[in-house]
PDB file of all heavy atoms in Angstrom:
ATOM      1  N   LEU N   5      86.459  89.391  86.996  1.00  0.00           N
ATOM      2  CA  LEU N   5      87.248  88.685  86.000  1.00  0.00           C
ATOM      3  C   LEU N   5      86.847  89.076  84.576  1.00  0.00           C
ATOM      4  O   LEU N   5      87.641  89.318  83.704  1.00  0.00           O
ATOM      5  CB  LEU N   5      87.100  87.162  86.126  1.00  0.00           C
ATOM      6  CG  LEU N   5      87.909  86.551  87.291  1.00  0.00           C
ATOM      7  CD1 LEU N   5      87.712  85.046  87.252  1.00  0.00           C
ATOM      8  CD2 LEU N   5      89.390  86.881  87.090  1.00  0.00           C
ATOM      9  N   PHE N   6      85.493  89.111  84.377  1.00  0.00           N
ATOM     10  CA  PHE N   6      84.987  89.449  83.069  1.00  0.00           C
ATOM     11  C   PHE N   6      85.428  90.818  82.641  1.00  0.00           C
ATOM     12  O   PHE N   6      85.955  91.060  81.562  1.00  0.00           O
ATOM     13  CB  PHE N   6      83.437  89.373  83.091  1.00  0.00           C
ATOM     14  CG  PHE N   6      82.828  89.705  81.785  1.00  0.00           C
ATOM     15  CD1 PHE N   6      82.900  88.771  80.740  1.00  0.00           C
ATOM     16  CD2 PHE N   6      82.203  90.935  81.562  1.00  0.00           C
ATOM     17  CE1 PHE N   6      82.327  89.063  79.505  1.00  0.00           C
ATOM     18  CE2 PHE N   6      81.640  91.205  80.320  1.00  0.00           C
ATOM     19  CZ  PHE N   6      81.715  90.286  79.294  1.00  0.00           C
ATOM     20  N   ASP N   7      85.284  91.795  83.586  1.00  0.00           N
ATOM     21  CA  ASP N   7      85.701  93.178  83.294  1.00  0.00           C
ATOM     22  C   ASP N   7      87.172  93.289  82.951  1.00  0.00           C
ATOM     23  O   ASP N   7      87.568  94.175  82.214  1.00  0.00           O
ATOM     24  CB  ASP N   7      85.435  94.076  84.496  1.00  0.00           C
ATOM     25  CG  ASP N   7      83.944  94.261  84.757  1.00  0.00           C
ATOM     26  OD1 ASP N   7      83.175  94.030  83.788  1.00  0.00           O
ATOM     27  OD2 ASP N   7      83.579  94.515  85.861  1.00  0.00           O
ATOM     28  N   LYS N   8      87.998  92.411  83.528  1.00  0.00           N
ATOM     29  CA  LYS N   8      89.422  92.536  83.371  1.00  0.00           C
ATOM     30  C   LYS N   8      89.997  91.531  82.354  1.00  0.00           C
ATOM     31  O   LYS N   8      91.207  91.390  82.273  1.00  0.00           O
ATOM     32  CB  LYS N   8      90.109  92.309  84.738  1.00  0.00           C
ATOM     33  CG  LYS N   8      89.860  93.381  85.751  1.00  0.00           C
ATOM     34  CD  LYS N   8      90.788  94.595  85.499  1.00  0.00           C
ATOM     35  CE  LYS N   8      90.593  95.672  86.566  1.00  0.00           C
ATOM     36  NZ  LYS N   8      91.478  96.785  86.367  1.00  0.00           N
ATOM     37  N   SER N   9      89.142  90.829  81.615  1.00  0.00           N
ATOM     38  CA  SER N   9      89.684  89.786  80.764  1.00  0.00           C
ATOM     39  C   SER N   9      90.606  90.324  79.673  1.00  0.00           C
ATOM     40  O   SER N   9      91.605  89.682  79.330  1.00  0.00           O
ATOM     41  CB  SER N   9      88.547  88.971  80.123  1.00  0.00           C
ATOM     42  OG  SER N   9      87.697  89.853  79.400  1.00  0.00           O
ATOM     43  N   LYS N  10      90.329  91.551  79.172  1.00  0.00           N
ATOM     44  CA  LYS N  10      91.255  92.125  78.185  1.00  0.00           C
ATOM     45  C   LYS N  10      92.605  92.403  78.760  1.00  0.00           C
ATOM     46  O   LYS N  10      93.651  92.156  78.179  1.00  0.00           O
ATOM     47  CB  LYS N  10      90.654  93.453  77.655  1.00  0.00           C
ATOM     48  CG  LYS N  10      90.075  93.305  76.244  1.00  0.00           C
ATOM     49  CD  LYS N  10      89.436  94.565  75.740  1.00  0.00           C
ATOM     50  CE  LYS N  10      90.441  95.755  75.706  1.00  0.00           C
ATOM     51  NZ  LYS N  10      89.714  97.026  75.486  1.00  0.00           N
ATOM     52  N   GLU N  11      92.589  92.969  79.988  1.00  0.00           N
ATOM     53  CA  GLU N  11      93.829  93.302  80.675  1.00  0.00           C
ATOM     54  C   GLU N  11      94.641  92.012  80.969  1.00  0.00           C
ATOM     55  O   GLU N  11      95.901  92.024  80.821  1.00  0.00           O
ATOM     56  CB  GLU N  11      93.571  94.046  81.989  1.00  0.00           C
ATOM     57  CG  GLU N  11      93.165  95.526  81.790  1.00  0.00           C
ATOM     58  CD  GLU N  11      91.689  95.717  81.586  1.00  0.00           C
ATOM     59  OE1 GLU N  11      90.977  94.715  81.287  1.00  0.00           O
ATOM     60  OE2 GLU N  11      91.195  96.841  81.732  1.00  0.00           O
ATOM     61  N   ILE N  12      93.940  90.979  81.413  1.00  0.00           N
ATOM     62  CA  ILE N  12      94.651  89.721  81.722  1.00  0.00           C
ATOM     63  C   ILE N  12      95.274  89.144  80.457  1.00  0.00           C
ATOM     64  O   ILE N  12      96.428  88.708  80.458  1.00  0.00           O
ATOM     65  CB  ILE N  12      93.661  88.711  82.355  1.00  0.00           C
ATOM     66  CG1 ILE N  12      93.202  89.195  83.737  1.00  0.00           C
ATOM     67  CG2 ILE N  12      94.306  87.322  82.484  1.00  0.00           C
ATOM     68  CD1 ILE N  12      92.066  88.413  84.335  1.00  0.00           C
ATOM     69  N   ALA N  13      94.534  89.219  79.318  1.00  0.00           N
ATOM     70  CA  ALA N  13      95.064  88.713  78.052  1.00  0.00           C
ATOM     71  C   ALA N  13      96.287  89.511  77.623  1.00  0.00           C
ATOM     72  O   ALA N  13      97.283  88.956  77.143  1.00  0.00           O
ATOM     73  CB  ALA N  13      93.999  88.797  76.981  1.00  0.00           C
ATOM     74  N   GLU N  14      96.245  90.840  77.828  1.00  0.00           N
ATOM     75  CA  GLU N  14      97.382  91.660  77.457  1.00  0.00           C
ATOM     76  C   GLU N  14      98.621  91.321  78.290  1.00  0.00           C
ATOM     77  O   GLU N  14      99.735  91.152  77.774  1.00  0.00           O
ATOM     78  CB  GLU N  14      97.029  93.161  77.635  1.00  0.00           C
ATOM     79  CG  GLU N  14      98.147  94.091  77.230  1.00  0.00           C
ATOM     80  CD  GLU N  14      97.680  95.484  76.920  1.00  0.00           C
ATOM     81  OE1 GLU N  14      96.519  95.795  77.069  1.00  0.00           O
ATOM     82  OE2 GLU N  14      98.582  96.292  76.581  1.00  0.00           O
ATOM     83  N   ALA N  15      98.412  91.162  79.633  1.00  0.00           N
ATOM     84  CA  ALA N  15      99.531  90.794  80.496  1.00  0.00           C
ATOM     85  C   ALA N  15     100.091  89.419  80.084  1.00  0.00           C
ATOM     86  O   ALA N  15     101.329  89.246  79.993  1.00  0.00           O
ATOM     87  CB  ALA N  15      99.038  90.716  81.966  1.00  0.00           C
ATOM     88  N   ALA N  16      99.198  88.481  79.737  1.00  0.00           N
ATOM     89  CA  ALA N  16      99.643  87.141  79.346  1.00  0.00           C
ATOM     90  C   ALA N  16     100.488  87.201  78.054  1.00  0.00           C
ATOM     91  O   ALA N  16     101.557  86.583  77.972  1.00  0.00           O
ATOM     92  CB  ALA N  16      98.456  86.216  79.154  1.00  0.00           C
ATOM     93  N   ASP N  17     100.046  88.007  77.099  1.00  0.00           N
ATOM     94  CA  ASP N  17     100.789  88.093  75.818  1.00  0.00           C
ATOM     95  C   ASP N  17     102.174  88.651  76.072  1.00  0.00           C
ATOM     96  O   ASP N  17     103.188  88.158  75.501  1.00  0.00           O
ATOM     97  CB  ASP N  17     100.043  89.022  74.865  1.00  0.00           C
ATOM     98  CG  ASP N  17      98.792  88.370  74.278  1.00  0.00           C
ATOM     99  OD1 ASP N  17      98.671  87.119  74.457  1.00  0.00           O
ATOM    100  OD2 ASP N  17      97.908  89.074  73.742  1.00  0.00           O
ATOM    101  N   LEU N  18     102.296  89.671  76.882  1.00  0.00           N
ATOM    102  CA  LEU N  18     103.605  90.298  77.151  1.00  0.00           C
ATOM    103  C   LEU N  18     104.528  89.293  77.901  1.00  0.00           C
ATOM    104  O   LEU N  18     105.704  89.196  77.581  1.00  0.00           O
ATOM    105  CB  LEU N  18     103.424  91.571  77.998  1.00  0.00           C
ATOM    106  CG  LEU N  18     102.791  92.706  77.217  1.00  0.00           C
ATOM    107  CD1 LEU N  18     102.248  93.780  78.153  1.00  0.00           C
ATOM    108  CD2 LEU N  18     103.800  93.323  76.240  1.00  0.00           C
TER     109      LEU N  18
END
Side-chain angles (χ1 to χ4, degrees):
L5 281 183
F6 180 74
D7 292 338
K8 291 280 183 178
S9 57
K10 255 178 58 192
E11 284 87 344
I12 293 170
E14 182 160 0
D17 288 345
L18 290 162

